[in-house]
Amino acid sequence: MSDKINQIQASYHPAEDRILLNIKTLNEQVYLAWITRRFMKIFIPVLHGQHPTSGQSLFDEKKAQLAQIEKQQTQLLGDFESEYQKPENPNYPLGESPILLAKITFKDIYSDQAQLILEPEKGQGIILPYHADLLGPLIKIFAQALDSAEWALELDPILEVPQETTRLQ
């Protein structure tokens, strides 16, 4: 991604039985990706800093605790009710058809420049910063899409989105 993210939307499409991830940057680049039920089951733990199969923390304990606090504060403070604004002159670096996500890759995970790379089986993917400023809102956005999907993913309770009334001080 060549610019800062301006808007993110995730919406469930029953006919596809997938979630459409729609990311728009400040310079009007639009990235579209389909997320399947299987991919989401792997992706949610990653957003929470846990390895998707082993459940092990992706960070050392102290860094994981700090990231969790930042992530919860970020996800509870964002405005997620605003309607997605389609850009006037969108540019689609990955094409106008959504890519089907198949792989999750980390780059520089233990640095301040950590990246989360979401890729299709072949071809270019979406590179996102792996930081609480983005992870918290992504969790909230995906939680809303998952409510519509009614997939019953049976995720560990620790991976649940906190209730709106639980605000951190």
Short mmCIF file of all heavy atoms in Angstrom, two decimals, residues 21 23 39 42 67 71 94 96 147 167:
data_model
loop_
_atom_site.label_atom_id
_atom_site.label_comp_id
_atom_site.label_asym_id
_atom_site.label_seq_id
_atom_site.Cartn_x
_atom_site.Cartn_y
_atom_site.Cartn_z
N LEU A 21 -13.75 -7.16 1.98
CA LEU A 21 -12.92 -6.15 2.63
C LEU A 21 -12.65 -5.06 1.60
O LEU A 21 -12.18 -5.34 0.51
CB LEU A 21 -11.61 -6.76 3.12
CG LEU A 21 -10.58 -5.81 3.73
CD1 LEU A 21 -11.13 -5.15 4.99
CD2 LEU A 21 -9.29 -6.55 4.04
N ILE A 23 -10.78 -1.38 1.25
CA ILE A 23 -9.84 -0.44 1.87
C ILE A 23 -9.59 0.70 0.89
O ILE A 23 -9.28 0.47 -0.28
CB ILE A 23 -8.50 -1.12 2.22
CG1 ILE A 23 -8.73 -2.26 3.20
CG2 ILE A 23 -7.51 -0.10 2.78
CD1 ILE A 23 -7.50 -3.09 3.48
N PHE A 39 -10.59 -18.53 6.10
CA PHE A 39 -9.55 -17.52 6.27
C PHE A 39 -9.82 -16.68 7.51
O PHE A 39 -8.91 -16.35 8.27
CB PHE A 39 -9.46 -16.63 5.02
CG PHE A 39 -8.26 -15.74 4.99
CD1 PHE A 39 -7.06 -16.18 4.48
CD2 PHE A 39 -8.32 -14.44 5.48
CE1 PHE A 39 -5.93 -15.36 4.45
CE2 PHE A 39 -7.22 -13.61 5.47
CZ PHE A 39 -6.02 -14.07 4.95
N ILE A 42 -8.69 -18.06 10.77
CA ILE A 42 -7.25 -17.91 10.97
C ILE A 42 -6.90 -16.45 11.26
O ILE A 42 -6.06 -16.15 12.10
CB ILE A 42 -6.48 -18.40 9.73
CG1 ILE A 42 -6.67 -19.91 9.56
CG2 ILE A 42 -5.00 -18.05 9.81
CD1 ILE A 42 -6.19 -20.44 8.23
N ALA A 67 0.34 -4.10 23.64
CA ALA A 67 -0.39 -4.07 22.37
C ALA A 67 -1.87 -4.34 22.60
O ALA A 67 -2.72 -3.71 21.96
CB ALA A 67 0.20 -5.10 21.41
N LYS A 71 -4.78 -1.79 21.58
CA LYS A 71 -5.75 -2.28 20.61
C LYS A 71 -7.17 -2.09 21.13
O LYS A 71 -8.05 -1.64 20.41
CB LYS A 71 -5.47 -3.76 20.32
CG LYS A 71 -6.35 -4.39 19.30
CD LYS A 71 -5.96 -5.82 19.06
CE LYS A 71 -6.06 -6.60 20.34
NZ LYS A 71 -5.70 -7.97 20.27
N LEU A 94 -4.92 -3.55 -7.45
CA LEU A 94 -5.03 -5.00 -7.57
C LEU A 94 -6.13 -5.42 -8.54
O LEU A 94 -6.44 -6.60 -8.64
CB LEU A 94 -5.30 -5.63 -6.19
CG LEU A 94 -4.28 -5.32 -5.10
CD1 LEU A 94 -4.69 -5.97 -3.79
CD2 LEU A 94 -2.89 -5.79 -5.52
N GLU A 96 -10.19 -4.26 -10.33
CA GLU A 96 -11.52 -3.89 -9.84
C GLU A 96 -12.28 -5.06 -9.24
O GLU A 96 -13.26 -4.86 -8.54
CB GLU A 96 -12.32 -3.23 -10.96
CG GLU A 96 -11.77 -1.87 -11.33
CD GLU A 96 -12.66 -1.10 -12.30
OE1 GLU A 96 -13.90 -1.14 -12.13
OE2 GLU A 96 -12.11 -0.50 -13.22
N ASP A 147 -21.19 -10.71 12.55
CA ASP A 147 -22.57 -10.76 13.07
C ASP A 147 -23.56 -11.02 11.94
O ASP A 147 -24.49 -11.81 12.08
CB ASP A 147 -22.93 -9.46 13.79
CG ASP A 147 -22.33 -9.38 15.17
OD1 ASP A 147 -21.87 -10.41 15.70
OD2 ASP A 147 -22.32 -8.27 15.74
N ARG A 167 -15.37 0.67 28.55
CA ARG A 167 -14.38 1.64 28.10
C ARG A 167 -13.19 1.64 29.05
O ARG A 167 -13.36 1.62 30.26
CB ARG A 167 -14.98 3.04 28.03
CG ARG A 167 -16.09 3.11 27.03
CD ARG A 167 -15.96 4.37 26.25
NE ARG A 167 -17.02 4.41 25.27
CZ ARG A 167 -16.82 4.40 23.99
NH1 ARG A 167 -15.61 4.37 23.51
NH2 ARG A 167 -17.82 4.45 23.15
#
